[in-house]
Amino acid sequence: TNAASSSTDPVVAYEAAVPSKFSSRLHFPLPAIVDHDVAKYALLLGATDPNLGGIVISGRRGTAKTIMARGVHALFPPIDVVEGSYFNADPESPDEWDDELVLRKANGHCGTPVVKTIAPPFVQVPLGVTEDRLLGAVDAEASIKKGATVFQPGLLAAAHRGILYVDEINLLDDLIVNLLLNVLSTGVNLVEREGLSIQHPCKPFLIATFNPEEGEMREHLLDQFAISLSADYHTFSLQERVDAMQVAMDFQ
């Protein structure tokens, strides 16, 4: 059940989850989720050290996998980005800027970049995602209007410096999963399409989940995640379920 622990003070949990000026959404707080201590600890480790690698969590429906992912995202601090950047460029890391930002700076248009503060992105990869939607592609309509090739960023650009969440990763096409993991392993997304060659950094915190009842995760893909664990190891008693549901209802 996607519920909260009766041992957690609801007031404290709610205060931790109250949306700030950077986010208007209220998410169930990570500390209030019943049990799953190992999974929560792993998520906090990954959030603290982006170089750790991706985390994949298996579990049946109703084991709070998605709620845990959104719960850890709510703990992320706001980030500063260069205004107008399609991949949330870090103003303190010009060495990671894409070719367009570098050119703007060289031409004097970006000597002192305009910085804005935003909530870190939470990007979910849908099951039917295409290669172009994931990596990015040529925007045909914009290219015709401009008379030059225009890049349309993909989900990987939007997820940079935030969380990239893949639910039911075991049901994704193998090609898509391999492309995704290859980009994350290098930290750079290189897109070459119809005369276009562009690259940008891609360093999100990858969280993937799957339901083993709908198919097992392929071993060679599991090996590419830093941490793999299960949310099914604990069977809740009737009283635990009742207590958890009560706190969840109070939260709503």
Side-chain angles (χ1 to χ4, degrees), residues 165-204:
Y165 179 60
V166 187
D167 192 18
E168 308 295 357
I169 190 172
N170 56 325
L171 302 182
L172 273 182
D173 183 85
D174 279 356
L175 173 62
I176 295 297
V177 178
N178 286 328
L179 287 171
L180 170 65
L181 295 177
N182 285 340
V183 169
L184 296 184
S185 66
T186 61
V188 176
N189 180 29
L190 174 62
V191 182
E192 296 181 323
R193 298 280 192 284
E194 296 97 21
L196 173 72
S197 180
I198 192 169
Q199 68 177 26
H200 64 79
C202 180
K203 299 177 181 178

Side-chain angles (χ1 to χ4, degrees), residues 1-4 26-34 36 40 43 57 62-74 122 124 163 165 167 207 209 248 251-252:
T1 180
N2 295 342
L26 182 67
H27 295 295
F28 200 85
L30 185 68
I33 296 173
V34 164
H36 296 320
K40 289 186 287 187
L43 290 170
I57 304 173
T63 49
K65 301 186 298 294
T66 300
I67 290 180
M68 284 191 286
R70 291 195 174 276
V72 75
H73 172 251
F122 184 99
Q124 182 166 350
I163 288 180
Y165 179 60
D167 192 18
I207 303 175
T209 61
F251 178 79
Q252 295 174 353

